[in-house]
Amino acid sequence: QVQLVESGGGLVQAGGSLRLSCAASGRTFNTYAMGWFRQSPGKDREFVALIRTTGDTSYADSVSGRFTISRANVRNTAVHLLMNNVKPEDTGIYYCAYRPYAGTEWPYWGQGTQVTVSS
């Protein structure tokens, strides 16, 4: 099993910045990618960003150019999500996810951290 712990959520004003962090532990012998998803009030959980072990990144159109995902350690078991120029629509619970192999779903999830953007 893999455990994920997120941190860094909170309240921020529109236009401000916030950095989320996530650390994976447990059976992290093989990492394909780590990512961030979010669930806003009344909406389904949606993809935000991911980073593969190769360093390749991918972003949702709604955050591209504002958010940056990066690795926090050389073992690729911890990541940051730097959120710049945040908007009220970025409000939601942000979940970290871990994928051990390509071609699979995201089997491991964190508990989530709340991000609230005030206008």
Side-chain angles (χ1 to χ4, degrees), residues 25-41:
S25 61
R27 298 181 62 83
T28 57
F29 309 119
N30 190 83
T31 301
Y32 171 71
M34 293 186 70
W36 289 94
F37 293 73
R38 69 186 181 191
Q39 186 165 19
S40 302

Side-chain angles (χ1 to χ4, degrees), residues 3-10 18-23 35-40 45-46 48 81 83 91-98 108-116:
Q3 295 79 41
L4 299 168
V5 178
E6 302 103 334
S7 61
L18 200 63
R19 190 178 79 163
L20 307 183
S21 298
C22 174
W36 289 94
F37 293 73
R38 69 186 181 191
Q39 186 165 19
S40 302
R45 186 160 55 187
E46 63 178 357
V48 174
L81 181 70
M83 307 165 60
T91 293
I93 301 173
Y94 283 69
Y95 297 91
C96 179
Y98 177 92
Y108 302 107
W109 295 84
Q111 293 297 308
T113 185
Q114 177 71 46
V115 172
T116 302

Side-chain angles (χ1 to χ4, degrees), residues 2-4 6 13 59 79-80 83-84 87-89 93:
V2 173
Q3 295 79 41
L4 299 168
E6 302 103 334
Q13 287 189 329
Y59 297 92
V79 293
H80 297 308
M83 307 165 60
N84 289 326
K87 303 176 181 180
E89 52 263 43
I93 301 173

Side-chain angles (χ1 to χ4, degrees), residues 64-114:
S64 183
R66 300 187 297 120
F67 291 10
T68 302
I69 188 170
S70 61
R71 290 180 285 199
N73 66 15
V74 296
R75 292 186 60 241
N76 300 308
T77 57
V79 293
H80 297 308
L81 181 70
L82 177 61
M83 307 165 60
N84 289 326
N85 190 25
V86 295
K87 303 176 181 180
E89 52 263 43
D90 294 322
T91 293
I93 301 173
Y94 283 69
Y95 297 91
C96 179
Y98 177 92
R99 183 191 288 187
Y101 300 102
T104 63
E105 296 298 323
W106 298 85
Y108 302 107
W109 295 84
Q111 293 297 308
T113 185
Q114 177 71 46

